């Protein structure tokens, strides 16, 4: 075996969520083995990339992706090869997908095992969330099997009756099981009776097309559901994670719960802190069909402020890869449209531009983009540039700007909701477990090199991470 490291990133400004330093990053066998003092010469290596003082951050962890997702009669157009390739193009080196039962016949365990099989072709590392729609006597055993597979979180929807919605009894019982199994409960929080009634009222009035989407799913529905779910989490003692929060009120409810000692977390998505509901009056409103919908400009500004100040813990893409032909089949009726946006590739520049524009530091960005998702989701070896961590590294120049061209992205669809936007924070070099997959020469397909990541127990991981940070700070 060669005595030289496989790779050295020299003259780097290494930025973690808790600070930065100048260093030469030394990589061997897919791991960071040293951060050598940049005041000295860079160690010799089989390959050296000179960062020339540019920022180097840990590879992104996208905790909320939907790959090859079947919902009703629609299926997203991607597969793991496509989505993982797009993720790497966008500086994300780990994605977490969902095993959601396709219908009443598929069990939660079967849905996850199916996704795990598909993930074998992934170019980046993959973890999975489970999902429960309805409770029966087999669910506790299935959740035990998922935990044994390293799937330590379960998603439930409080809306979408007749398809993915879980009722209150199911949510509470699953929360109890997740406490027993040291897991994390994921919640899509929108109050279904409010949404169902509001949507029906709009349909009766003939205002049910895509131009009215934002009016059919009011902010009150989201905040009411968050409040109810937090009460169940407090009652059961379950850690709870709210996906794609779109209102400052929802985030504040989580912050208040945390002040009382609850283990509760807020996630948002790039579109909710950059796009407002005026998009539904644009020439292409179908580009923005997602649930929750975009909110008012005032709400967006307030949500962005909470992201910049750390009240929101993670930024995920909620990547769902439909194309415009699917979106345009039923623009006349939002109940029949596929909802979800492609975003795994643009998560880094949209988040960086939004956060730093609102006054956040690069360290704050790293927390939302990488460190927070890795820690909260108990993904070992991710989210930090440090000795013993996976060599997932992104080099970029924060001053470089590019214009989004939806046709030239790599997500397997024909549009981007951010088309035409000028953004900073694009990756120049991406290293995935020690492999250089993107540089000035373009993309270098690593093949099906992605691993399935078994995750730790939630509280076990939080305790170990806290102890590790304290130990590092002592030296």
């Amino acid at each position: 075996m060669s005595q030289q490291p496989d790779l050295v990133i020299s003259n780097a400004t290494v930025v973690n969520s808790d600070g930065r330093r100048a260093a030469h990053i030394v990589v061997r066998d897919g791991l960071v083995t040293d951060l050598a003092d940049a005041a000295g010469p860079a160690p010799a290596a089989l390959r050296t990339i000179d960062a020339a003082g540019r920022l180097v951050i840990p590879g992104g962890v996208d905790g909320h992706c939907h790959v090859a997702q079947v919902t009703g009669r629609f299926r997203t157009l991607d597969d793991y090869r496509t989505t993982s390739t797009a993720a790497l193009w966008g500086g994300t080196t780990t994605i977490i997908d969902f095993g959601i039962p396709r219908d009443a016949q598929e069990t939660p365990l079967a849905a996850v095992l199916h996704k795990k099989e598909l993930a074998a072709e992934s170019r980046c590392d993959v973890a999975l969330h489970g999902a429960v729609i309805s409770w029966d006597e087999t669910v506790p055993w299935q959740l035990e099997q998922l935990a044994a597979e390293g799937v330590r979180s379960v998603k439930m929807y409080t809306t979408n009756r007749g398809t993915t919605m879980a009722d209150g009894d199911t949510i509470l019982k699953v929360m109890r099981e997740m406490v027993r199994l040291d897991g994390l409960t994921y919640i899509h929080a929108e109050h279904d009776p409010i949404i169902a009634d509001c949507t029906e009222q709009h349909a009766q009035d003939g205002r049910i097309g895509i131009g009215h989407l934002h009016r059919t799913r009011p902010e009150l529905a989201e905040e009411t559901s968050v409040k109810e779910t937090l009460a169940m989490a407090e009652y059961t003692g379950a850690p709870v994670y709210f996906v794609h929060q779109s209102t400052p009120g929802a985030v504040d409810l989580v912050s208040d719960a945390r002040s009382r000692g609850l283990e509760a977390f807020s996630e948002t998505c790039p579109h909710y802190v950059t796009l407002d509901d005026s998009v539904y009056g644009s020439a292409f409103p179908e580009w923005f069909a997602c649930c929750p919908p975009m909110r008012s400009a005032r709400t967006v500004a307030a949500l962005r402020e909470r992201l910049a100040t750390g009240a929101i813990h993670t930024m995920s893409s909620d990547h769902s890869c439909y194309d415009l032909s699917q979106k345009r089949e039923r623009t006349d009726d939002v109940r029949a449209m596929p909802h979800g946006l492609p975003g795994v590739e643009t998560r880094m520049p949209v988040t960086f531009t939004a956060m730093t524009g609102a006054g956040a530091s690069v360290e704050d960005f790293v927390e939302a983009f990488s460190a927070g998702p890795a820690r909260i989701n108990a993904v070992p070896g991710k989210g930090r540039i440090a000795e013993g961590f996976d060599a997932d590294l992104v080099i970029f120049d924060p001053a470089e700007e590019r214009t989004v061209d939806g046709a030239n992205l790599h997500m397997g669809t024909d549009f981007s909701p951010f088309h035409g936007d000028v953004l900073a924070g694009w990756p120049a070099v991406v290293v995935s477990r020690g492999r250089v997959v993107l540089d000035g020469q373009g993309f270098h397909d690593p093949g099906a090199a992605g691993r399935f990541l078994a995750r730790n127990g939630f509280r076990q991981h939080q305790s170990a991470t806290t102890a590790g940070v304290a130990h590092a700070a002592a030296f």
Side-chain angles (χ1 to χ4, degrees):
M1 183 178 74
S2 171
Q3 297 302 305
Q4 291 187 341
D6 303 317
L7 175 67
V8 166
I9 308 292
S10 64
N11 304 307
T13 299
V14 176
V15 185
N16 283 309
S17 62
D18 58 353
R20 65 178 70 191
R21 60 176 290 195
H24 308 302
I25 306 170
V26 182
V27 175
R28 189 192 297 274
D29 298 330
L31 299 175
V32 174
T33 57
D34 191 21
L35 293 179
D37 190 346
L46 298 179
R47 180 174 180 182
T48 299
I49 297 175
D50 185 0
R54 288 177 294 177
L55 303 184
V56 183
I57 64 171
V61 178
D62 193 338
H64 187 164
C65 288
H66 297 279
V67 185
Q69 181 66 51
V70 177
T71 303
R73 66 186 185 87
F74 291 102
R75 181 196 182 281
T76 59
L77 299 178
D78 58 343
D79 54 24
Y80 274 96
R81 176 173 182 169
T82 302
T83 297
S84 61
T85 296
L88 292 170
W89 271 99
T92 289
T93 51
T94 302
I95 60 174
I96 311 183
D97 185 22
F98 295 83
I100 300 174
R102 289 169 289 184
D103 51 41
Q105 284 67 52
E106 186 172 43
T107 66
L109 179 59
V112 165
L113 294 178
H114 174 65
K115 281 296 187 76
K116 185 177 178 181
E117 181 179 347
L118 295 180
E121 67 175 356
S122 181
R123 271 54 185 162
C124 71
D125 289 347
V126 176
L128 288 169
H129 306 288
V132 174
I133 297 172
S134 59
W135 181 267
D136 63 50
E137 63 184 9
T138 72
V139 169
W141 175 83
Q142 292 189 63
L143 295 179
E144 290 174 0
Q145 299 306 302
L146 291 178
E149 291 279 344
V151 178
R152 306 300 290 259
S153 52
V154 169
K155 183 179 183 181
M156 289 173 287
Y157 293 78
T158 65
T159 189
N160 302 335
R161 64 179 68 178
T163 55
T164 56
M165 177 180 166
D167 63 26
D169 288 342
T170 296
I171 292 172
L172 192 143
K173 290 176 181 177
V174 169
M175 282 183 169
R176 285 196 184 281
E177 293 300 311
M178 298 311 286
V179 172
R180 179 174 69 88
L181 298 169
D182 195 14
L184 179 63
T185 300
Y186 261 55
I187 296 289
H188 173 132
E190 290 184 287
H191 191 272
D192 191 73
I194 292 175
I195 288 173
D197 184 75
C198 188
T199 301
E200 179 59 28
Q201 293 296 324
H202 278 76
Q204 291 178 8
D205 293 341
R207 297 179 293 126
I208 200 62
I210 182 58
H212 301 282
L213 175 62
H214 56 302
R215 300 184 180 95
T216 65
R217 306 179 88 94
E219 294 186 20
L220 178 64
E222 182 173 346
E223 292 165 15
T224 300
S225 184
V226 169
K227 187 179 299 185
E228 289 184 355
T229 303
L230 284 169
M232 287 190 281
E234 187 166 11
Y235 175 68
T236 60
V240 61
Y241 178 109
F242 292 94
V243 298
H244 53 49
Q245 292 199 306
S246 68
T247 79
V251 174
D252 291 346
L253 287 166
V254 172
S255 296
D256 289 345
R258 290 176 62 83
S259 72
R260 301 195 306 274
L262 272 68
E263 295 167 295
F265 303 93
S266 291
E267 168 200 281
T268 195
C269 304
H271 40 283
Y272 295 125
V273 296
T274 55
L275 303 173
D276 63 54
D277 59 15
S278 66
V279 298
Y280 299 114
S282 69
F284 304 107
E286 67 274 14
W287 289 15
F288 311 99
C290 61
C291 296
M294 310 311 170
R295 304 301 190 184
S296 71
R298 181 177 179 179
T299 293
V300 171
L303 192 71
R304 187 164 54 243
E305 183 272 334
R306 283 159 176 76
L307 174 64
T309 58
I312 296 172
H313 303 97
T314 66
M315 175 66 84
S316 298
S317 67
D318 193 5
H319 175 78
S320 298
C321 192
Y322 301 105
D323 71 0
L324 290 176
S325 66
Q326 292 173 302
K327 293 280 190 181
R328 288 169 175 162
E329 280 189 35
R330 292 301 307 274
T331 57
D332 64 309
D333 191 336
V334 296
R335 297 169 297 183
M337 290 184 71
H339 292 276
L341 305 177
V344 70
E345 186 173 353
T346 50
R347 184 175 70 107
M348 179 175 172
V350 179
T351 303
F352 183 82
T353 301
M355 290 190 69
T356 57
S361 67
V362 180
E363 287 85 350
D364 297 329
F365 161 71
V366 170
E367 172 65 19
F369 178 70
S370 183
R375 183 181 63 257
I376 294 167
N377 286 291
V379 184
K382 303 296 185 182
R384 186 171 182 82
I385 301 176
E387 184 176 343
F389 279 69
D390 289 348
D392 295 341
L393 310 166
V394 179
I395 303 175
F396 75 106
D397 178 353
E400 180 192 0
E401 294 184 335
R402 304 180 197 171
T403 301
V404 179
D405 182 351
N408 287 329
L409 296 174
H410 308 87
M411 292 182 285
T413 186
D414 54 358
F415 78 104
S416 166
F418 307 107
H419 179 78
D421 291 350
V422 178
L423 304 173
W426 296 85
V429 176
V430 178
V431 178
S432 178
R433 287 199 357 262
R435 299 180 180 90
V436 179
V437 294
L438 181 70
D439 60 17
Q441 305 304 309
F443 185 74
H444 309 285
D445 188 347
R451 301 170 302 174
F452 173 75
L453 301 175
R455 290 153 56 204
N456 296 327
F458 171 77
R459 286 178 172 142
Q460 169 200 13
H461 190 83
Q462 309 314 305
S463 297
T465 301
T466 301
V469 170
H471 177 77
F475 290 88

